[in-house]
Amino acid sequence: MNNKALRWLYANWMKATPFLAVYTFVLVWLYVKDQNYALFLIWVQGIIYWVHEFEEYVCPGGFLKFFNNNTMRCIRDDYPMTDVGSFWINIPLVYIAMPFSAVLAHFFGLEWGIWTALFSVLNGLGHVGFWAIFGRKYNPGLCASLLLNIPFGIYAIHYFVTNLHFSATVYIASAVVGILAQASMMIYAFGVLLPRVKREGLVREKA
């Protein structure tokens, strides 16, 4: 893939989210929900996250600007988190790992996918944290977090624990995976990006 195609991909990957969400939801509603409700809930976590990303990056969008200006306290809107960085954070996790976990859950056991519900809740709570920390102001992704990620994630976790009857080891391992998925983004942000902003003298002065 040439540089022009990559630049287009970095700038436009998020525009696929509404189509993926609607198309996948219709399929799992028709062919999965009644046959395996727990598997349906696993698929739904990825679908919800596509809706979440649509709010973050498309309508109304602006998450990178918010993240850079507020969380990273950077004077630039497009740095240190760039289109490229956003692509490589979201695509492996949301476009590959979450759907792949649902496929593994279908063929090899539901325990392969239940981590997605906790990850969805934790990521939603992160947006609530942004709201609380930064003056109780809207941040892109907050509405999806409050209406979808957190309530449906909690419901899925409750359903799994109540109905699947896995061993404690399975639930602990799933929790660890979900926490690590969220923690990996936080480690990258606060362990790599924020020090870069400080090192390059781009820290925004407090009002």
Side-chain angles (χ1 to χ4, degrees):
M1 187 177 292
N2 59 41
N3 290 336
K4 184 177 180 180
L6 279 175
R7 287 195 300 271
W8 182 90
L9 187 61
Y10 293 148
N12 293 280
W13 63 268
M14 69 290 294
K15 295 177 183 177
T17 52
F19 306 101
L20 285 170
V22 171
Y23 182 73
T24 307
F25 182 77
V26 170
L27 288 179
V28 299
W29 180 271
L30 292 175
Y31 299 109
V32 179
K33 177 177 173 289
D34 293 334
Q35 288 73 22
N36 191 331
Y37 187 65
L39 181 61
F40 170 75
L41 292 179
I42 292 171
W43 274 108
V44 163
Q45 305 311 310
I47 294 167
I48 286 172
Y49 211 96
W50 284 326
V51 176
H52 181 108
E53 289 183 321
F54 178 75
E55 182 187 354
E56 285 184 320
Y57 295 102
V58 181
C59 183
F63 179 73
L64 287 186
K65 180 179 184 297
F66 170 86
F67 181 82
N68 288 326
N69 290 168
N70 293 277
T71 309
M72 296 292 98
R73 307 201 315 270
C74 186
I75 60 176
R76 290 177 53 179
D77 295 344
D78 60 348
Y79 187 84
M81 181 63 77
T82 63
D83 288 340
V84 176
S86 179
F87 175 89
W88 287 110
I89 287 172
N90 283 283
I91 295 300
L93 181 58
V94 183
Y95 279 61
I96 298 175
M98 295 183 78
F100 186 59
S101 291
V103 173
L104 290 177
H106 173 77
F107 287 105
F108 299 105
L110 295 168
E111 61 268 30
W112 286 93
I114 59 179
W115 68 272
T116 57
L118 179 59
F119 168 70
S120 186
V121 172
L122 291 175
N123 193 268
L125 290 174
H127 284 269
V128 176
F130 289 155
W131 172 83
I133 293 169
F134 301 117
R136 298 186 178 182
K137 295 179 180 178
Y138 169 80
N139 62 84
L142 179 62
C143 292
S145 296
L146 292 173
L147 298 176
L148 297 173
N149 291 80
I150 296 173
F152 282 93
I154 291 174
Y155 170 75
I157 292 169
H158 178 266
Y159 183 89
F160 296 152
V161 172
T162 303
N163 294 278
L164 298 187
H165 307 300
F166 288 125
S167 67
T169 301
V170 168
Y171 287 117
I172 292 171
S174 298
V176 169
V177 173
I179 291 169
L180 287 177
Q182 178 65 22
S184 65
M185 296 189 291
M186 297 177 65
I187 291 170
Y188 179 65
F190 294 102
V192 177
L193 298 183
L194 185 57
R196 186 181 298 169
V197 172
K198 294 178 178 178
R199 188 171 56 249
E200 297 178 12
L202 297 174
V203 177
R204 179 185 296 275
E205 295 293 334
K206 293 183 178 181

